[in-house]
CSV table of all heavy atoms in Angstrom, one decimal:
chain,number,residue,atom,x,y,z
A,477,LEU,N,-44.6,-40.4,14.9
A,477,LEU,CA,-44.6,-39.2,15.6
A,477,LEU,C,-44.5,-39.5,17.1
A,477,LEU,O,-43.8,-38.9,17.9
A,477,LEU,CB,-45.8,-38.4,15.3
A,477,LEU,CG,-46.0,-37.1,16.0
A,477,LEU,CD1,-45.0,-36.0,15.5
A,477,LEU,CD2,-47.4,-36.5,15.9
A,478,LEU,N,-45.4,-40.5,17.5
A,478,LEU,CA,-45.5,-40.8,19.0
A,478,LEU,C,-44.2,-41.4,19.5
A,478,LEU,O,-43.9,-41.3,20.7
A,478,LEU,CB,-46.7,-41.6,19.2
A,478,LEU,CG,-48.0,-40.8,19.1
A,478,LEU,CD1,-49.2,-41.7,19.2
A,478,LEU,CD2,-48.1,-39.7,20.1
A,479,GLU,N,-43.5,-42.1,18.6
A,479,GLU,CA,-42.2,-42.7,19.1
A,479,GLU,C,-41.3,-41.6,19.7
A,479,GLU,O,-40.5,-41.9,20.5
A,479,GLU,CB,-41.5,-43.3,17.9
A,479,GLU,CG,-41.6,-44.8,17.8
A,479,GLU,CD,-41.0,-45.3,16.5
A,479,GLU,OE1,-40.0,-44.8,16.1
A,479,GLU,OE2,-41.7,-46.3,16.0
A,480,LYS,N,-41.5,-40.3,19.2
A,480,LYS,CA,-40.6,-39.3,19.7
A,480,LYS,C,-41.2,-38.4,20.7
A,480,LYS,O,-40.7,-37.3,21.0
A,480,LYS,CB,-40.2,-38.4,18.4
A,480,LYS,CG,-39.6,-39.2,17.3
A,480,LYS,CD,-39.3,-38.3,16.2
A,480,LYS,CE,-38.7,-39.1,15.0
A,480,LYS,NZ,-38.4,-38.2,13.9
A,481,ALA,N,-42.4,-38.7,21.2
A,481,ALA,CA,-43.2,-37.8,22.0
A,481,ALA,C,-43.4,-38.2,23.4
A,481,ALA,O,-44.2,-37.6,24.1
A,481,ALA,CB,-44.5,-37.5,21.3
A,482,TYR,N,-42.8,-39.3,23.9
A,482,TYR,CA,-43.1,-39.8,25.2
A,482,TYR,C,-42.9,-38.8,26.3
A,482,TYR,O,-43.7,-38.8,27.3
A,482,TYR,CB,-42.4,-41.1,25.4
A,482,TYR,CG,-43.0,-42.0,26.4
A,482,TYR,CD1,-44.1,-42.8,26.1
A,482,TYR,CD2,-42.5,-42.1,27.7
A,482,TYR,CE1,-44.7,-43.6,27.0
A,482,TYR,CE2,-43.2,-42.9,28.7
A,482,TYR,CZ,-44.3,-43.7,28.3
A,482,TYR,OH,-44.9,-44.5,29.2
A,483,GLU,N,-41.9,-38.0,26.2
A,483,GLU,CA,-41.6,-37.0,27.2
A,483,GLU,C,-42.1,-35.6,26.9
A,483,GLU,O,-41.6,-34.7,27.5
A,483,GLU,CB,-40.1,-37.0,27.5
A,483,GLU,CG,-39.4,-38.3,27.8
A,483,GLU,CD,-39.9,-38.9,29.1
A,483,GLU,OE1,-40.5,-38.2,29.9
A,483,GLU,OE2,-39.8,-40.1,29.3
A,484,HIS,N,-42.9,-35.5,25.9
A,484,HIS,CA,-43.4,-34.2,25.5
A,484,HIS,C,-44.2,-33.5,26.6
A,484,HIS,O,-45.0,-34.1,27.3
A,484,HIS,CB,-44.3,-34.3,24.2
A,484,HIS,CG,-44.4,-33.0,23.5
A,484,HIS,ND1,-45.3,-32.0,23.9
A,484,HIS,CD2,-43.9,-32.6,22.3
A,484,HIS,CE1,-45.2,-31.0,23.0
A,484,HIS,NE2,-44.4,-31.4,22.1
A,485,PRO,N,-44.0,-32.1,26.8
A,485,PRO,CA,-44.7,-31.4,27.8
A,485,PRO,C,-46.2,-31.4,27.7
A,485,PRO,O,-47.0,-31.1,28.6
A,485,PRO,CB,-44.1,-30.0,27.8
A,485,PRO,CG,-43.4,-29.9,26.5
A,485,PRO,CD,-43.0,-31.3,26.1
A,486,VAL,N,-46.7,-31.7,26.5
A,486,VAL,CA,-48.2,-31.6,26.3
A,486,VAL,C,-49.0,-32.5,27.2
A,486,VAL,O,-50.1,-32.2,27.6
A,486,VAL,CB,-48.6,-32.0,24.8
A,486,VAL,CG1,-48.4,-33.5,24.5
A,486,VAL,CG2,-50.0,-31.6,24.5
A,487,TRP,N,-48.4,-33.7,27.6
A,487,TRP,CA,-49.1,-34.6,28.5
A,487,TRP,C,-49.4,-33.9,29.9
A,487,TRP,O,-50.5,-34.0,30.3
A,487,TRP,CB,-48.3,-35.9,28.7
A,487,TRP,CG,-47.8,-36.5,27.4
A,487,TRP,CD1,-46.5,-36.7,27.1
A,487,TRP,CD2,-48.6,-36.8,26.2
A,487,TRP,NE1,-46.4,-37.2,25.8
A,487,TRP,CE2,-47.7,-37.3,25.3
A,487,TRP,CE3,-50.0,-36.8,26.0
A,487,TRP,CZ2,-48.1,-37.7,24.0
A,487,TRP,CZ3,-50.4,-37.3,24.7
A,487,TRP,CH2,-49.5,-37.7,23.8
A,488,GLU,N,-48.4,-33.3,30.4
A,488,GLU,CA,-48.6,-32.6,31.7
A,488,GLU,C,-49.5,-31.4,31.5
A,488,GLU,O,-50.4,-31.2,32.3
A,488,GLU,CB,-47.3,-32.1,32.3
A,488,GLU,CG,-46.4,-33.2,32.8
A,488,GLU,CD,-46.8,-33.8,34.1
A,488,GLU,OE1,-47.7,-33.3,34.8
A,488,GLU,OE2,-46.2,-34.8,34.5
A,489,GLU,N,-49.3,-30.6,30.5
A,489,GLU,CA,-50.1,-29.4,30.3
A,489,GLU,C,-51.6,-29.7,30.2
A,489,GLU,O,-52.4,-29.0,30.8
A,489,GLU,CB,-49.6,-28.7,29.0
A,489,GLU,CG,-48.4,-27.9,29.1
A,489,GLU,CD,-47.8,-27.6,27.7
A,489,GLU,OE1,-48.5,-27.6,26.7
A,489,GLU,OE2,-46.6,-27.3,27.7
A,490,LYS,N,-51.9,-30.7,29.4
A,490,LYS,CA,-53.4,-31.0,29.2
A,490,LYS,C,-53.9,-31.7,30.5
A,490,LYS,O,-55.0,-31.4,30.9
A,490,LYS,CB,-53.5,-32.0,28.0
A,490,LYS,CG,-53.2,-31.4,26.7
A,490,LYS,CD,-54.3,-30.6,26.1
A,490,LYS,CE,-54.0,-30.1,24.7
A,490,LYS,NZ,-54.9,-29.2,24.2
A,491,ALA,N,-53.1,-32.7,31.0
A,491,ALA,CA,-53.6,-33.5,32.1
A,491,ALA,C,-53.9,-32.7,33.4
A,491,ALA,O,-54.7,-33.1,34.2
A,491,ALA,CB,-52.7,-34.7,32.4
A,492,ARG,N,-53.3,-31.5,33.5
A,492,ARG,CA,-53.5,-30.7,34.7
A,492,ARG,C,-55.0,-30.4,34.8
A,492,ARG,O,-55.5,-30.2,35.9
A,492,ARG,CB,-52.8,-29.4,34.6
A,492,ARG,CG,-51.3,-29.3,35.1
A,492,ARG,CD,-50.8,-27.9,35.1
A,492,ARG,NE,-50.9,-27.2,33.8
A,492,ARG,CZ,-51.6,-26.2,33.6
A,492,ARG,NH1,-52.3,-25.7,34.6
A,492,ARG,NH2,-51.7,-25.6,32.4
A,493,LEU,N,-55.7,-30.4,33.7
A,493,LEU,CA,-57.1,-30.0,33.7
A,493,LEU,C,-58.1,-31.2,33.7
A,493,LEU,O,-59.3,-31.1,33.8
A,493,LEU,CB,-57.5,-29.2,32.5
A,493,LEU,CG,-56.7,-27.9,32.4
A,493,LEU,CD1,-56.9,-27.3,31.0
A,493,LEU,CD2,-57.1,-26.9,33.4
Side-chain angles (χ1 to χ4, degrees):
L477 178 73
L478 290 173
E479 256 171 40
K480 302 177 180 181
Y482 203 76
E483 304 296 342
H484 198 283
V486 71
W487 312 120
E488 289 286 352
E489 281 164 20
K490 296 274 185 190
R492 272 191 305 115
L493 302 169

